[in-house]
Amino acid sequence: MMNTLALFKETFSVESLREIYETSVAQTRATGVDNISTKIFERDLQNHLELINKKVLNGKYKFTRYKQKLISKGPNKAPREVCLPTIRDRVVLKALNQFLQERMGKQIPQPLPQLITKNIKKSLRSNYYDVVLKFDVSEFYPSVKHDVLRKRLLRFVQHDLILNLIEAAIKQSTGNISNKKGVPQGLPISNILAALYLRKIDRRYEAKDEIFYQRYVDDILVLCKSHQKEDVSSNIINICQDIGLTVYDPIERPDKSTCGQASDEFSYIGYRYNPIDRSGVLVTTKPESKIKLINSLTGIFTSFHRSKKKSLALLQWRVNLRITGCISENSGKGWLFFFSEIEDKQLLFELDQFVASLCKRFDASFPRKKFVRAWHEINHNRWRKKYFPNFDKYDLNEMSLVVATYLGKDVSELEMTEEEITTYFWRAIKKEIKDMETDIQDHNYK
């Protein structure tokens, strides 16, 4: 097995950095405070990568101030601040995340929301637990203590060269003063550092057979017996307090943390359990999730209506993609992939009927995919069927068809090289995936 420093040097080799740029950065549209786009960055790509390699490995790399982006969390809520690095810093952070995942990813699990939901459903159906506790860590990312995080990192990384680079990344801010505390949100390394920071509490409670414990970023859920709820609450609050985190007592502050019966309705990371308005259904989505998807679909039809070309082929492709989702970078993307664990077929039928009403309203008739069918395919034939696109397996002909559809042309009219087609294809796909991710952003953007 490769030692830590050798792995770090290999990850930051020019060849590895180029691959990271091409697969994870090249298609991004976001820019940092320098406003340098990927198109401009690529004009001198080799020199940029060589400079990154040199400065990182001699310990002299410096991050540029991050650009601030505010994401709305809804009415009467403060927006979430997300940090946007420059393209050069993004390459470094992507490489650093790749290194951290390789070095400690298996020991610092970050389960998908679908797996979490599946485990919750199984535990609820056991009828063993009668209480649900939900804890929200207040201001989690801004509260992370750098010295505590460094001690956690020392368990896996003992080299100052690496530790100092991580520290430089999290000390950088959107202002002119460096962060003395906290981890900036939105960076490629943010999630794995968050998981590492809370590793102690995860290990303690995951080992307890008598309770069910689950955490998704800074949202903690516990299923337990009634007589255990005070002790569990007190212990979780105290453990978090020891590392500088504030967790509210669900009895004293029910507006922040909650305590309820396992048979009552409750929500967790976008899923709604025991819904009182859905007889016989154990799991569905929160109403806001349905509204976001409906607004997104309406927006696609509105764009079609306002377009001069009014390409029915493009409308069909975009609507069907929004219905089914897709596979990209070996991962399911889209609303239905995120909510694949729902059991509310009535909701899926309602969504299919809504799409039909949009087609009638905008006078757009085309073969449509179905939410009900897509849900079945995702749950039973995810990697075998072609009901939803697997863009990782697209050949040049399939890419050309997508590009032609996007440009409103026939494939025979494309005057592009193979490289140009591939580049345009992935930029189009990344754009659509980014738009799809806004439908689930409140639950997935952490």
Side-chain angles (χ1 to χ4, degrees):
M1 183 178 178
M2 190 179 299
N3 67 47
T4 303
L5 189 58
L7 174 63
F8 182 77
K9 289 181 177 180
E10 181 181 272
T11 305
F12 280 89
S13 67
V14 174
E15 296 77 14
S16 178
L17 290 171
R18 178 177 288 276
E19 183 178 353
I20 289 168
Y21 174 80
E22 291 175 348
T23 58
S24 303
V25 181
Q27 314 306 328
T28 187
R29 293 178 293 169
T31 60
V33 292
D34 59 3
N35 288 321
I36 293 178
S37 65
T38 53
K39 187 175 181 180
I40 296 173
F41 190 79
E42 287 170 9
R43 293 174 185 170
D44 202 18
L45 180 60
Q46 183 65 21
N47 284 336
H48 281 305
L49 300 181
E50 290 177 356
L51 185 63
I52 290 172
N53 165 263
K54 179 182 177 180
K55 288 196 171 186
V56 166
L57 296 186
N58 67 20
K60 294 183 178 180
Y61 188 86
K62 295 186 182 299
F63 290 91
T64 304
R65 177 171 60 88
Y66 301 133
K67 181 192 285 187
Q68 182 189 62
K69 179 180 179 180
L70 299 178
I71 297 178
S72 173
K73 296 170 64 176
N76 305 317
K77 293 182 180 179
R80 179 181 295 119
E81 178 184 300
V82 174
C83 296
L84 299 179
T86 63
I87 300 299
R88 188 183 70 170
D89 286 350
R90 192 182 299 272
V91 174
V92 175
L93 290 164
K94 286 283 186 180
L96 192 52
N97 182 59
Q98 180 173 300
F99 163 78
L100 290 173
Q101 294 289 351
E102 185 72 23
R103 180 67 188 88
M104 61 188 192
K106 292 181 180 179
Q107 298 181 61
I108 309 294
Q110 300 173 74
L112 295 172
Q114 299 90 330
L115 179 59
I116 291 173
T117 305
K118 183 176 290 188
N119 291 336
I120 294 173
K121 289 195 297 186
K122 182 179 179 181
S123 296
L124 286 173
R125 286 187 172 126
S126 72
N127 293 318
Y128 178 77
Y129 310 102
D130 48 30
V131 169
V132 176
L133 295 168
K134 287 202 304 176
F135 303 92
D136 184 14
V137 181
S138 177
E139 296 293 316
F140 170 57
Y141 280 101
S143 302
V144 171
K145 291 184 175 181
H146 293 175
D147 59 334
V148 175
L149 181 60
R150 190 179 181 101
K151 288 179 182 177
R152 299 275 196 273
L153 282 165
L154 280 169
R155 166 73 175 76
F156 303 93
V157 179
Q158 291 80 40
H159 299 277
D160 285 341
L161 174 68
I162 305 170
L163 293 170
N164 291 342
L165 183 65
I166 296 171
E167 191 169 274
I170 63 176
K171 280 189 172 181
Q172 188 55 262
S173 69
T174 59
N176 295 319
I177 301 175
S178 64
N179 290 323
K180 294 183 179 180
K181 185 171 69 171
V183 171
Q185 293 190 61
L187 302 184
I189 61 173
S190 298
N191 281 0
I192 192 167
L193 293 181
L196 174 64
Y197 199 75
L198 292 170
R199 180 171 180 255
K200 183 178 179 180
I201 186 172
D202 290 346
R203 295 185 71 185
R204 175 168 181 171
Y205 279 96
E206 286 171 351
K208 292 181 177 292
D209 294 331
E210 67 274 17
I211 72 168
F212 173 85
Y213 169 91
Q214 193 66 65
R215 179 184 60 79
Y216 184 69
V217 191
D218 54 354
D219 291 325
I220 298 171
L221 180 137
V222 173
L223 303 179
C224 64
K225 294 285 193 178
S226 296
H227 69 273
Q228 299 171 308
K229 61 184 181 182
E230 286 84 5
D231 285 343
V232 170
S233 295
S234 177
N235 287 335
I236 288 178
I237 291 169
N238 290 336
I239 292 173
C240 287
Q241 194 172 48
D242 288 343
I243 55 175
L245 301 177
T246 300
V247 176
Y248 295 103
D249 188 308
I251 306 299
E252 297 176 0
R253 291 295 303 273
D255 57 319
K256 297 293 185 179
S257 296
T258 61
C259 173
Q261 296 298 306
S263 57
D264 292 340
E265 179 175 323
F266 69 93
S267 298
Y268 189 63
I269 54 175
Y271 282 86
R272 191 159 57 114
Y273 299 83
N274 309 319
I276 58 176
D277 61 335
R278 296 299 219 200
S279 177
V281 172
L282 178 68
V283 182
T284 185
T285 68
K286 293 172 67 175
E288 305 94 289
S289 302
K290 176 184 175 182
I291 292 171
K292 274 199 167 189
L293 179 60
I294 284 175
N295 290 340
S296 176
L297 288 164
T298 304
I300 293 174
F301 277 88
T302 303
S303 296
F304 162 77
H305 178 70
R306 293 175 177 174
S307 172
K308 292 181 179 179
K309 291 184 178 180
K310 285 189 170 52
S311 171
L312 193 62
L314 180 58
L315 175 66
Q316 176 183 346
W317 185 79
R318 294 191 71 204
V319 169
N320 284 339
L321 181 61
R322 198 58 59 97
I323 291 171
T324 64
C326 65
I327 293 173
S328 177
E329 297 178 327
N330 205 36
S331 176
K333 311 287 186 180
W335 189 90
L336 202 50
F337 270 96
F338 187 92
F339 290 112
S340 60
E341 286 298 320
I342 63 173
E343 300 163 333
D344 189 356
K345 288 191 177 181
Q346 180 184 338
L347 169 62
L348 301 177
F349 281 118
E350 289 172 1
L351 290 171
D352 283 329
Q353 291 172 358
F354 178 73
V355 175
S357 70
L358 285 176
C359 288
K360 185 176 181 180
R361 173 183 164 190
F362 288 91
D363 191 24
S365 178
F366 56 85
R368 299 189 304 275
K369 302 285 188 177
K370 302 288 186 180
F371 279 97
V372 174
R373 170 78 184 278
W375 175 87
H376 182 274
E377 296 297 335
I378 288 172
N379 280 282
H380 300 287
N381 301 306
R382 177 175 298 195
W383 306 108
R384 298 197 300 271
K385 294 291 184 180
K386 292 187 177 181
Y387 197 70
F388 45 85
N390 185 339
F391 293 129
D392 293 339
K393 295 184 177 180
Y394 266 36
D395 58 25
L396 185 63
N397 290 332
E398 291 171 308
M399 290 183 185
S400 298
L401 183 58
V402 171
V403 171
T405 301
Y406 233 80
L407 295 174
K409 297 181 177 181
D410 188 85
V411 175
S412 61
E413 297 175 316
L414 291 180
E415 297 180 354
M416 303 169 71
T417 65
E418 291 186 8
E419 183 178 354
E420 288 172 336
I421 288 172
T422 301
T423 299
Y424 192 99
F425 169 80
W426 280 112
R427 281 183 175 160
I429 297 306
K430 293 283 186 180
K431 176 184 179 300
E432 293 296 331
I433 289 174
K434 184 176 181 179
D435 289 344
M436 287 193 291
E437 287 176 344
T438 62
D439 299 339
I440 53 175
Q441 201 164 62
D442 285 347
H443 322 297
N444 208 27
Y445 203 108
K446 293 201 173 186

